Amino acid sequence: MSLPLAPSYDVVVVGSGPTGSTYVREVFERRPDARILLLEAGPKLGDPPGGHVKNIDGDEPRARAQRASEGPAPAAPGRPGTRLLGTPDLPAAAISTNVGGMGAHWTAACPRPGDSERIPCVPDAEMDRHLTRAEELLHVTSHAFDRAPFADVVRQRLAARFDAGRPVSRRVAPMPLAVTTRPDGTHAWSGTDVILGPAAADPRVELADTCLCLRVLHDAGTVTGVAVRDLNSGRETTVTAAAVVVAADALRTPQVLHASGIRPAALGRYLNDQPQIVHAVRLPDDVVAAHDEVTGRTREDDGGIVPQSGVSWVPFTDEHPFHGQVMQLDASPVALADEDTVRPGSIVGLGWFCAKDLDPEDRVTFSDTETDAFGMPRIGIRYRCTDRDLATIEAARNAVAEAGAALGDPLGGEPFLLPAGSSLHYQGTTRMGPADDGTSVCDSHSRVWGTEGLWVAGNGVIPTATACNPTLTSVALASRGAHALAEQLPRRTVATAAPTAG
Ligand code: FAD
């Protein structure tokens, strides 16, 4: 994509990840008169734009797409497709810069939030409706790995340990995943191509990749448009818009607002990530032998259960305040002498995510003198574990050890804590709240306090300390915000032609 863009749009969405794409899709469907510009700092990775990299055939093309998502060189390597920010307090903090955002690289686990993870300022029934819509937009199913070897016995054993006293909706279950099983049994992972659906090919929607939003423009407390830099040519321009949605992830959405001089007191504060404890076990030989006859299948028969697919779920509850993601791995995370003889699915990886103690002093900050690789205010992070966090982490370590003991024999020693930021689930930095009282950035429809026409989206909007993977929740909140936007957007009195792409 290169400039020029059309001079004016109804809605500009900044950031093409799952939440920005949700705004595009929802406004596209609800307002057939609206022209929408989707601005994305990163490149398209392939066709369709926003498609998940796991759907790309071939190791080398997939690795190229992952490298293209890491932003300008030199980038410290994080998980494939991400760039480490290099912030000592949150050493594993990382971002993705590409069409589709992290949604082109994610594991696609889509659990619903429960108990204290739920958002008090959004009525429960309404939240459930939007969660259902989010599941539709992401093509979520709990049945993609029904045939995974040993999944049943893993769930039976976890249920025996964790289900007592839980309501049906919070019992051990297959992990809901954003994935479609193709007729040949292979899997298509949902990226933002799936969320955009028909909006992607419609001339009313324009995707401008490698275009960085420098600032949101505003006048007298009302949004007027955005300033944009074409990262290929360096040219800059402005476009006007009636509404702007900033969906640039939980670290860069506050960066764009900061650069725009829009700085509510809570901007960047209440940053929370989910401490993650991991462990691995091997199902005992007698269990494998007993259930092998039942499964009797090979890796190929099972459509290639992929490494790091979360296939089972121990839901968060207030009594068990951890989100358990259980993965059956083709390959052990620990080198095994007899790797060739290991039955697929018999090595089980356990990841227990914790909810962080919320603290306004945990925050992302921005330099007024230094810039990042994109020329935006340099990000700094201040982040601490409280005593309560240390106790939570200890309790999670015990819970995951118990889960492991219920399943089999430990591999590679005791459960251990991953470096802070590893979950990639950064939240709270543009949190929603019921009132403009300095503890939130936006209202429960994601409208930024004090700036008419400005919405924020992404995990940063989630105000509670969640332990579950947050994307389903933030897509649901994006759907809710988009419905409000579609209602509020001024109606065009004169039809205008669709913009021409430059
Ligand atoms: P993002 O997807 O991060 O997209 C933000 C976009 O904004 C980026 O493309 C970025 O380039 C763009 N942008 C930033 N600044 C600007 C600017 N100034 N101008 C223009 N564009 C800009 N979550 C789950 O719920 N379940 C999982 O199983 C899961 N697994 C994961 C596994 C991996 C390996 C990774 C990397 C992530 C995983 N996540 C998971 C996290 C999930 O991908 C994110 O929660 C989700 O993508 C957030 O969506 P988003 O739209 O808010 O932001």
Side-chain angles (χ1 to χ4, degrees):
M1 175 75 206
S2 56
L3 299 177
L5 303 166
S8 170
Y9 296 83
D10 296 291
V11 181
V12 172
V13 177
V14 178
S16 67
T19 61
S21 299
T22 297
Y23 271 86
V24 172
R25 173 72 180 273
E26 297 289 57
V27 175
F28 169 80
E29 285 195 2
R30 292 181 160 244
R31 288 297 300 268
D33 58 330
R35 283 170 25 193
I36 306 166
L37 172 65
L38 177 54
L39 279 179
E40 170 53 55
K44 288 181 192 157
L45 300 179
D47 195 22
H52 201 298
V53 299
K54 279 197 225 171
N55 302 335
I56 297 174
D57 277 337
D59 292 345
E60 184 41 39
R62 195 176 314 112
R64 246 196 327 270
Q66 288 165 333
R67 279 196 301 274
S69 307
E70 291 166 9
R79 298 258 288 275
T82 69
R83 174 194 195 89
L84 285 178
L85 281 178
T87 44
D89 277 10
L90 212 57
I95 53 176
S96 296
T97 308
N98 54 275
V99 172
M102 281 193 178
H105 307 281
W106 68 323
T107 308
C110 283
R112 285 192 175 211
D115 288 0
S116 56
E117 293 181 307
R118 308 266 307 186
I119 296 163
C121 62
V122 179
D124 266 341
E126 216 179 300
M127 189 66 194
D128 284 337
R129 267 206 316 280
H130 288 293
L131 286 166
T132 301
R133 174 63 177 154
E135 286 162 350
E136 270 168 35
L137 288 171
L138 286 161
H139 292 188
V140 174
T141 172
S142 294
H143 299 292
F145 291 107
D146 275 355
R147 294 173 359 103
F150 309 112
D152 289 345
V153 67
V154 165
R155 285 197 277 275
Q156 278 160 19
R157 289 178 159 232
L158 290 173
R161 169 61 193 82
F162 292 107
D163 273 358
R166 287 175 179 246
V168 175
S169 63
R170 306 304 291 176
R171 291 189 186 150
V172 172
M175 179 66 80
L177 290 167
V179 63
T180 305
T181 305
R182 302 186 183 105
D184 66 359
T186 58
H187 299 106
W189 296 86
S190 299
T192 54
D193 55 328
V194 168
I195 298 177
L196 289 170
D202 194 286
R204 285 197 292 118
V205 175
E206 190 178 340
L207 167 63
D209 67 328
T210 59
C211 279
L212 181 77
C213 173
L214 297 167
R215 287 179 305 284
V216 176
L217 306 174
H218 50 103
D219 183 32
T222 300
V223 152
T224 57
V226 288
V228 182
R229 180 184 296 146
D230 179 335
L231 292 174
N232 293 322
S233 67
R235 283 176 59 198
E236 293 184 10
T237 192
T238 59
V239 298
T240 65
V244 173
V245 181
V246 185
D249 80 36
L251 304 173
R252 288 178 289 177
T253 294
Q255 181 185 50
V256 172
L257 266 61
H258 179 94
S260 313
I262 299 170
R263 301 177 183 178
L267 188 72
R269 293 185 178 272
Y270 301 95
L271 170 65
N272 66 103
D273 169 59
Q274 302 163 341
Q276 191 182 351
I277 318 285
V278 295
H279 188 34
V281 298
R282 184 178 185 158
L283 295 178
D285 289 344
D286 58 328
V287 172
V288 171
H291 291 268
D292 228 11
E293 272 175 37
V294 183
T295 61
R297 299 188 298 259
T298 64
R299 190 173 303 196
E300 287 70 34
D301 291 338
D302 286 299
I305 173 166
V306 279
Q308 298 186 348
S309 290
V311 293
S312 296
W313 174 31
V314 182
F316 173 99
T317 66
D318 286 345
E319 288 70 40
H320 176 264
F322 318 108
H323 165 71
Q325 183 166 316
V326 181
M327 299 165 280
Q328 286 164 265
L329 308 177
D330 264 7
S332 166
V334 178
L336 294 173
D338 56 349
E339 201 158 327
D340 289 345
T341 63
V342 169
R343 292 290 301 152
S346 64
I347 303 296
V348 184
L350 300 115
W352 253 233
F353 296 72
C354 307
K356 171 92 176 68
D357 199 12
L358 296 185
D359 180 351
E361 294 309 315
D362 289 332
R363 58 185 299 213
V364 50
T365 58
F366 304 99
S367 170
D368 286 325
T369 52
E370 293 174 83
T371 53
D372 67 12
F374 296 91
M376 297 292 280
R378 203 164 84 79
I379 291 176
I381 287 177
R382 188 267 180 212
Y383 200 76
R384 298 277 181 274
C385 275
T386 63
D387 287 345
R388 196 148 88 185
D389 287 326
L390 297 176
T392 306
I393 288 167
E394 212 35 53
R397 214 188 285 273
N398 293 335
V400 76
E402 280 177 36
L407 290 177
D409 311 316
L411 277 175
E414 296 297 311
F416 62 94
L417 177 67
L418 293 182
S422 297
S423 79
L424 305 168
H425 299 161
Y426 318 121
Q427 303 166 94
T429 51
T430 54
R431 68 204 300 255
M432 59 171 53
D436 184 7
D437 60 3
T439 65
S440 58
V441 168
C442 63
D443 71 10
S444 72
H445 293 277
S446 306
R447 295 175 285 220
V448 174
W449 301 117
T451 306
E452 200 60 33
L454 179 59
W455 272 256
V456 279
N459 300 331
V461 167
I462 299 172
T464 48
T466 71
C468 72
N469 321 69
T471 309
L472 183 80
T473 303
S474 57
V475 166
L477 294 174
S479 162
R480 185 168 194 265
H483 290 197
L485 194 165
E487 255 171 50
Q488 266 179 252
L489 192 66
R491 295 201 177 263
R492 277 179 183 276
T493 46
V494 183
T496 7
T500 47

